[in-house]
Amino acid sequence: MFDATFQSPHRSAPLAVSVVLHGLAASALVLSSLLITIFSFIWIGTYTALGLWRAALIPLAYQVASLIGLAFFARTKHYRAYRASQVAMFLLLPFLLQWSLGGFVESGAVALWAFVAPLGALVFYGPRQAIAWFGGFLALVALSAAIDGVLPEPSEHIPSWVVLAFFALNILGPSVTTFALLEHFVRSRDRAHRLLAAEQERSETLLLSIFPRPIAERLKISQDVIAERSEEVSVLFADITGFTPAAEQLPAEEVVVLLDEIFSAFDELVARHGLEKIKTIGDGYLVAAGIPTPRADHAEAAARLALAMRQALADLPIASGLSLRVGIDSGAVVAGVIGRTKFGYDLWGDTVNTASRMESHALPRTIQVTERTYRRLRERFILEQRSHVFVKGKGEMTTYVLLEERAQPSGAPESRPANENPVTASGSLSKRA
């Protein structure tokens, strides 16, 4: 038996989010590295002009190492190594530069650039790892304060206006870098969330096209067994007669287009009548009324749907030469979801089997129902009785053919004597009820 199967998109959503955030962190790291590389030209030029060659070599070394690391990352995609090297340089090199210039004041507090490391670690690593980087930053600040008075002064005098300018630049530079880093990350994250939300909406639509909404909601939040028994359900089986010989004469694409047109029309009718499509079986179509959402008029709803489906097929130009044969039974069913990695929602029970037998033993272009369905329909629908119908696996049965809905509901069923228009051995129509 064919089961509609589906792998829940919500099981893979955490992985998708992780991949997206990883890409955002990598792009933010590259952006911050390039910004610091550009700012380094100011320090290199200024220290070179002042003859502070040792101090100039430190930002130059960062530029060279950063560009080599970026080329390595672009070639190998080894993000972890690139991340560790960049954050380590963010943290250590500003303090080395400050110590080479004689301390906080002489360097213009260039160690402020090191705060980019723990702040960036929040984005590149996450909160837990960022705590360690922030601890390292605090330790280096404490060490710098402890040794500030014993650091040797640079061999060349640094003019006071240069120190003042570098104070301003060392406040401006880290501020611009961290703001650009966080703005890029937040903007990209929001864009990724919008894309993920759109993808989730498409997944929701696909999920709801396969499972009833209550079942889909339970699948998203639970891995428990989903099963239920209902005593009041009507099951409708429909089969397109004439489809198999027609399909043998058509190209594969036209067969699929034909079946898609027919089943799409049926799907619209099922949604309009508030019933549940369970699955398709070749050119067969299975619908349930009264499950998973109970309804007292399940048999009437199934009957109205059957009449509408038959008319819809007759009205489709593409379905010329085809007709519909329908079987309906009412009673108890068991419904549930089976599968581990892929899921299938299906119905089981005698009601399902009997509805299938009603369809397979129905006359062409007719809607055949069981006696227990007839009892639920006779006040609002016109039906004709078929007696002595031999049904495989059930024996001889009395069944009824659904003709139409009554124009005005009747308070009492119409009936005729059992000996009026006796049924022939072939099971032809005998009386109207």
Side-chain angles (χ1 to χ4, degrees):
M1 180 177 289
F2 170 84
D3 288 315
T5 56
F6 182 77
Q7 186 170 1
S8 174
H10 302 274
R11 305 293 173 86
S12 58
L15 177 60
V17 172
S18 175
V19 171
V20 170
L21 293 181
H22 175 83
L24 293 179
S27 65
L29 178 57
V30 171
L31 174 64
S32 59
S33 299
L34 292 176
L35 284 173
I36 295 175
T37 299
I38 294 171
F39 272 110
S40 296
F41 281 109
I42 300 174
W43 278 260
I44 294 171
T46 302
Y47 295 145
T48 300
L50 293 174
L52 301 171
W53 301 103
R54 184 173 58 182
L57 285 175
I58 294 175
L60 177 62
Y62 170 77
Q63 286 184 325
V64 173
S66 183
L67 292 175
I68 291 174
L70 182 60
F72 171 80
F73 174 56
R75 182 177 180 84
T76 65
K77 307 301 181 185
H78 288 171
Y79 173 66
R80 291 185 177 181
Y82 177 63
R83 177 182 61 184
S85 64
Q86 287 296 314
V87 177
M89 288 192 292
F90 292 167
L91 181 64
L92 295 175
L93 294 186
F95 283 102
L96 291 177
L97 181 57
Q98 178 173 291
W99 297 340
S100 72
L101 292 171
F104 281 101
V105 175
E106 291 80 358
S107 67
V110 72
L112 285 172
W113 280 94
F115 187 63
V116 174
L119 192 62
L122 283 171
V123 176
F124 312 142
Y125 284 96
R128 181 174 299 179
Q129 294 91 332
I131 293 175
W133 289 101
F134 186 61
F137 171 77
L138 294 178
L140 288 172
V141 170
L143 176 62
S144 297
I147 66 175
D148 192 77
V150 299
L151 290 173
E153 295 185 2
S155 57
E156 300 293 336
H157 176 68
I158 303 177
S160 59
W161 67 269
V162 173
V163 174
L164 181 61
F166 272 101
F167 263 117
L169 286 173
N170 290 332
I171 295 174
L172 177 66
S175 300
V176 171
T177 300
T178 53
F179 180 81
L181 166 67
L182 294 177
E183 191 275 338
H184 170 76
F185 181 80
V186 170
R187 180 161 44 84
S188 299
R189 182 203 61 189
D190 291 344
R191 184 171 62 250
H193 283 170
R194 288 193 297 270
L195 293 174
L196 286 172
E199 184 63 32
Q200 184 176 17
E201 184 177 353
R202 286 192 291 269
S203 298
E204 291 278 354
T205 301
L206 178 58
L207 189 66
L208 292 174
S209 72
I210 297 176
F211 294 107
R213 181 176 292 275
I215 301 302
E217 294 298 330
R218 290 174 63 182
L219 272 175
K220 289 189 294 184
I221 62 176
S222 173
Q223 296 185 7
D224 295 338
V225 174
I226 297 177
E228 58 182 329
R229 177 185 295 275
S230 178
E231 301 298 324
E232 287 293 329
V233 175
S234 287
V235 178
L236 180 154
F237 263 102
D239 181 74
I240 304 171
T241 56
F243 178 81
T244 300
E248 293 175 352
Q249 306 299 320
L250 296 174
E253 293 80 2
E254 293 185 25
V255 172
V256 174
V257 169
L258 171 60
L259 206 54
D260 180 66
E261 286 279 344
I262 296 172
F263 283 170
S264 294
F266 290 172
D267 290 346
E268 292 179 6
L269 291 173
V270 170
R272 190 183 309 164
H273 285 76
L275 305 188
E276 292 294 345
K277 172 188 174 182
I278 303 302
K279 60 186 177 183
T280 59
I281 315 152
D283 59 349
Y285 197 89
L286 174 60
V287 180
I291 197 169
T293 304
R295 56 185 299 172
D297 64 339
H298 56 87
E300 296 175 8
R304 292 189 184 98
L305 175 63
L307 292 169
M309 290 171 63
R310 185 173 63 181
Q311 186 60 47
L313 183 63
D315 291 342
L316 277 177
I318 195 173
S320 177
L322 303 178
S323 61
L324 198 66
R325 189 173 58 197
V326 181
I328 303 176
D329 188 26
S330 303
V333 301
V334 172
V337 176
I338 56 174
R340 298 297 178 107
T341 58
K342 291 186 176 182
F343 310 104
Y345 181 74
D346 208 345
L347 306 177
W348 301 272
D350 181 67
T351 302
V352 180
N353 296 332
T354 305
S356 176
R357 293 286 187 262
M358 289 298 98
E359 176 273 312
S360 61
H361 290 77
L363 298 174
R365 297 179 177 83
T366 64
I367 303 167
Q368 182 167 241
V369 306
T370 60
E371 187 163 6
R372 52 188 177 182
T373 301
Y374 160 75
R375 289 196 296 269
R376 293 172 171 87
L377 299 178
R378 58 188 176 184
E379 294 185 3
R380 294 183 177 272
F381 294 84
I382 300 174
L383 303 99
E384 286 190 344
Q385 180 179 308
R386 297 181 69 200
S387 298
H388 309 298
V389 179
F390 184 82
V391 177
K392 181 180 178 181
K394 307 294 290 185
E396 193 174 276
M397 295 180 65
T398 297
T399 65
Y400 297 82
V401 174
L402 174 65
L403 300 179
E404 59 183 340
E405 189 169 4
R406 298 182 190 276
Q408 294 294 331
S410 174
E414 295 182 7
S415 60
R416 297 193 179 188
N419 59 356
E420 181 177 325
N421 295 327
V423 182
T424 66
S426 62
S428 59
L429 302 183
S430 64
K431 74 173 184 177
R432 180 165 296 189

